[in-house]
Short mmCIF file of all heavy atoms in Angstrom, two decimals:
data_model
loop_
_atom_site.label_atom_id
_atom_site.label_comp_id
_atom_site.label_asym_id
_atom_site.label_seq_id
_atom_site.Cartn_x
_atom_site.Cartn_y
_atom_site.Cartn_z
N MET A 26 5.73 0.80 -9.96
CA MET A 26 4.96 0.48 -8.75
C MET A 26 5.86 0.73 -7.56
O MET A 26 6.98 0.20 -7.41
CB MET A 26 4.59 -1.00 -8.81
CG MET A 26 3.78 -1.47 -7.64
SD MET A 26 3.23 -3.23 -7.73
CE MET A 26 2.35 -3.28 -9.22
N ARG A 27 5.37 1.57 -6.68
CA ARG A 27 6.11 1.93 -5.47
C ARG A 27 5.66 1.17 -4.28
O ARG A 27 4.44 0.82 -4.18
CB ARG A 27 6.00 3.45 -5.17
CG ARG A 27 6.66 4.29 -6.24
CD ARG A 27 6.67 5.71 -5.92
NE ARG A 27 5.27 6.27 -5.85
CZ ARG A 27 4.97 7.51 -5.51
NH1 ARG A 27 5.92 8.37 -5.22
NH2 ARG A 27 3.73 7.90 -5.50
N ILE A 28 6.58 0.75 -3.37
CA ILE A 28 6.21 0.00 -2.22
C ILE A 28 6.84 0.60 -0.99
O ILE A 28 7.84 1.27 -1.02
CB ILE A 28 6.62 -1.51 -2.32
CG1 ILE A 28 8.12 -1.64 -2.41
CG2 ILE A 28 5.96 -2.15 -3.51
CD1 ILE A 28 8.58 -3.07 -2.24
N ASN A 29 6.22 0.30 0.17
CA ASN A 29 6.72 0.67 1.51
C ASN A 29 7.28 2.10 1.55
O ASN A 29 6.56 3.05 1.37
CB ASN A 29 7.67 -0.39 2.01
CG ASN A 29 7.02 -1.76 2.08
OD1 ASN A 29 5.90 -1.86 2.50
ND2 ASN A 29 7.77 -2.78 1.70
N LYS A 30 8.58 2.23 1.89
CA LYS A 30 9.19 3.58 2.11
C LYS A 30 9.30 4.36 0.82
O LYS A 30 9.52 5.58 0.91
CB LYS A 30 10.62 3.40 2.68
CG LYS A 30 10.61 2.73 4.03
CD LYS A 30 10.29 3.76 5.10
CE LYS A 30 10.44 3.08 6.47
NZ LYS A 30 10.05 3.89 7.54
N GLU A 31 9.10 3.76 -0.34
CA GLU A 31 9.13 4.54 -1.59
C GLU A 31 7.93 5.40 -1.78
O GLU A 31 7.96 6.36 -2.59
CB GLU A 31 9.21 3.55 -2.81
CG GLU A 31 10.53 2.71 -2.83
CD GLU A 31 10.45 1.62 -3.84
OE1 GLU A 31 9.41 1.44 -4.54
OE2 GLU A 31 11.47 0.89 -3.97
N ILE A 32 6.85 5.14 -1.08
CA ILE A 32 5.60 5.94 -1.21
C ILE A 32 5.82 7.17 -0.37
O ILE A 32 6.05 7.11 0.88
CB ILE A 32 4.37 5.11 -0.68
CG1 ILE A 32 4.24 3.83 -1.48
CG2 ILE A 32 3.13 5.94 -0.82
CD1 ILE A 32 3.29 2.81 -0.96
N ARG A 33 5.70 8.36 -0.99
CA ARG A 33 6.00 9.61 -0.36
C ARG A 33 4.81 10.44 0.02
O ARG A 33 4.93 11.57 0.47
CB ARG A 33 6.92 10.45 -1.22
CG ARG A 33 8.24 9.76 -1.55
CD ARG A 33 9.12 9.88 -0.37
NE ARG A 33 10.45 9.29 -0.64
CZ ARG A 33 11.13 8.60 0.20
NH1 ARG A 33 10.71 8.41 1.40
NH2 ARG A 33 12.30 8.09 -0.15
N GLU A 34 3.61 9.95 -0.23
CA GLU A 34 2.38 10.75 0.06
C GLU A 34 2.17 10.81 1.56
O GLU A 34 2.62 9.95 2.33
CB GLU A 34 1.15 10.04 -0.60
CG GLU A 34 1.30 9.75 -2.07
CD GLU A 34 1.33 11.05 -2.86
OE1 GLU A 34 0.66 12.03 -2.47
OE2 GLU A 34 2.06 11.10 -3.84
N VAL A 37 -3.03 8.15 2.23
CA VAL A 37 -3.38 7.20 1.15
C VAL A 37 -4.77 6.61 1.40
O VAL A 37 -5.26 6.68 2.56
CB VAL A 37 -2.34 6.04 1.08
CG1 VAL A 37 -0.99 6.58 0.77
CG2 VAL A 37 -2.28 5.23 2.38
N ASP A 65 3.44 -6.03 2.68
CA ASP A 65 3.94 -4.77 2.17
C ASP A 65 2.80 -3.80 1.83
O ASP A 65 1.65 -4.18 1.62
CB ASP A 65 4.68 -5.04 0.80
CG ASP A 65 5.85 -5.98 1.02
OD1 ASP A 65 6.79 -5.57 1.68
OD2 ASP A 65 5.81 -7.06 0.46
N LEU A 66 3.16 -2.50 1.82
CA LEU A 66 2.21 -1.45 1.39
C LEU A 66 2.56 -1.13 -0.08
O LEU A 66 3.71 -0.75 -0.36
CB LEU A 66 2.37 -0.24 2.27
CG LEU A 66 1.41 0.90 1.94
CD1 LEU A 66 -0.04 0.49 2.27
CD2 LEU A 66 1.78 2.15 2.73
N ILE A 67 1.62 -1.36 -0.96
CA ILE A 67 1.86 -1.26 -2.44
C ILE A 67 0.97 -0.19 -2.98
O ILE A 67 -0.26 -0.27 -2.81
CB ILE A 67 1.60 -2.63 -3.08
CG1 ILE A 67 2.47 -3.68 -2.42
CG2 ILE A 67 1.91 -2.50 -4.57
CD1 ILE A 67 2.05 -5.09 -2.84
N GLU A 68 1.56 0.74 -3.72
CA GLU A 68 0.75 1.77 -4.41
C GLU A 68 0.17 1.12 -5.67
O GLU A 68 0.93 0.71 -6.53
CB GLU A 68 1.67 2.94 -4.76
CG GLU A 68 0.93 4.10 -5.38
CD GLU A 68 1.88 5.22 -5.70
OE1 GLU A 68 2.09 6.09 -4.84
OE2 GLU A 68 2.45 5.21 -6.81
N VAL A 69 -1.14 1.12 -5.79
CA VAL A 69 -1.77 0.49 -6.95
C VAL A 69 -2.32 1.50 -7.88
O VAL A 69 -2.55 1.14 -9.08
CB VAL A 69 -2.86 -0.51 -6.53
CG1 VAL A 69 -2.26 -1.69 -5.76
CG2 VAL A 69 -3.96 0.15 -5.67
N SER A 70 -2.56 2.75 -7.50
CA SER A 70 -3.08 3.76 -8.40
C SER A 70 -2.65 5.14 -7.95
O SER A 70 -2.95 5.56 -6.80
CB SER A 70 -4.58 3.75 -8.51
OG SER A 70 -5.02 4.78 -9.32
N ASP A 71 -1.86 5.82 -8.79
CA ASP A 71 -1.42 7.19 -8.45
C ASP A 71 -2.18 8.22 -9.28
O ASP A 71 -1.81 9.37 -9.34
CB ASP A 71 0.06 7.32 -8.64
CG ASP A 71 0.52 7.07 -10.07
OD1 ASP A 71 -0.32 6.68 -10.91
OD2 ASP A 71 1.70 7.29 -10.36
N LYS A 72 -3.23 7.79 -9.95
CA LYS A 72 -4.00 8.68 -10.82
C LYS A 72 -4.94 9.59 -10.10
O LYS A 72 -5.40 10.59 -10.60
CB LYS A 72 -4.83 7.86 -11.85
CG LYS A 72 -3.99 6.90 -12.70
CD LYS A 72 -3.14 7.67 -13.63
CE LYS A 72 -2.42 6.67 -14.56
NZ LYS A 72 -1.04 7.02 -14.80
N LYS A 74 -6.05 11.44 -6.10
CA LYS A 74 -5.55 11.91 -4.84
C LYS A 74 -6.59 11.69 -3.77
O LYS A 74 -7.74 12.10 -3.98
CB LYS A 74 -5.19 13.39 -4.93
CG LYS A 74 -4.04 13.66 -5.84
CD LYS A 74 -2.77 13.10 -5.36
CE LYS A 74 -1.64 13.40 -6.33
NZ LYS A 74 -0.45 12.63 -6.08
N VAL A 76 -3.55 8.84 -3.30
CA VAL A 76 -3.28 7.60 -4.03
C VAL A 76 -3.87 6.40 -3.35
O VAL A 76 -4.09 6.37 -2.16
CB VAL A 76 -1.74 7.41 -4.22
CG1 VAL A 76 -1.16 8.56 -5.02
CG2 VAL A 76 -1.00 7.24 -2.89
N VAL A 77 -4.12 5.34 -4.11
CA VAL A 77 -4.67 4.09 -3.57
C VAL A 77 -3.52 3.10 -3.28
O VAL A 77 -2.69 2.83 -4.15
CB VAL A 77 -5.69 3.45 -4.54
CG1 VAL A 77 -6.20 2.15 -4.01
CG2 VAL A 77 -6.84 4.43 -4.86
N CYS A 78 -3.50 2.59 -2.09
CA CYS A 78 -2.50 1.61 -1.69
C CYS A 78 -3.20 0.40 -1.15
O CYS A 78 -4.26 0.45 -0.58
CB CYS A 78 -1.59 2.18 -0.62
SG CYS A 78 -0.52 3.51 -1.21
N LYS A 79 -2.54 -0.77 -1.40
CA LYS A 79 -3.10 -2.01 -0.90
C LYS A 79 -2.05 -2.72 -0.07
O LYS A 79 -0.86 -2.63 -0.33
CB LYS A 79 -3.49 -2.94 -2.06
CG LYS A 79 -4.09 -4.21 -1.61
CD LYS A 79 -4.61 -5.06 -2.78
CE LYS A 79 -5.18 -6.35 -2.21
NZ LYS A 79 -6.09 -7.00 -3.04
N PHE A 83 4.26 -8.28 -1.70
CA PHE A 83 4.84 -7.83 -2.99
C PHE A 83 5.54 -8.93 -3.73
O PHE A 83 5.45 -9.04 -4.94
CB PHE A 83 5.75 -6.66 -2.74
CG PHE A 83 6.29 -6.07 -3.97
CD1 PHE A 83 5.50 -5.42 -4.88
CD2 PHE A 83 7.64 -6.24 -4.29
CE1 PHE A 83 6.05 -4.91 -6.08
CE2 PHE A 83 8.17 -5.73 -5.46
CZ PHE A 83 7.37 -5.03 -6.37
#
Side-chain angles (χ1 to χ4, degrees):
M26 183 178 301
R27 295 185 294 178
I28 64 168
N29 299 321
K30 297 280 185 183
E31 297 170 357
I32 302 168
R33 300 283 184 217
E34 304 295 324
V37 297
D65 299 296
L66 183 64
I67 304 168
E68 184 180 270
V69 294
S70 176
D71 62 353
K72 303 289 186 222
K74 295 293 180 192
V76 299
V77 179
C78 291
K79 181 173 181 162
F83 182 69

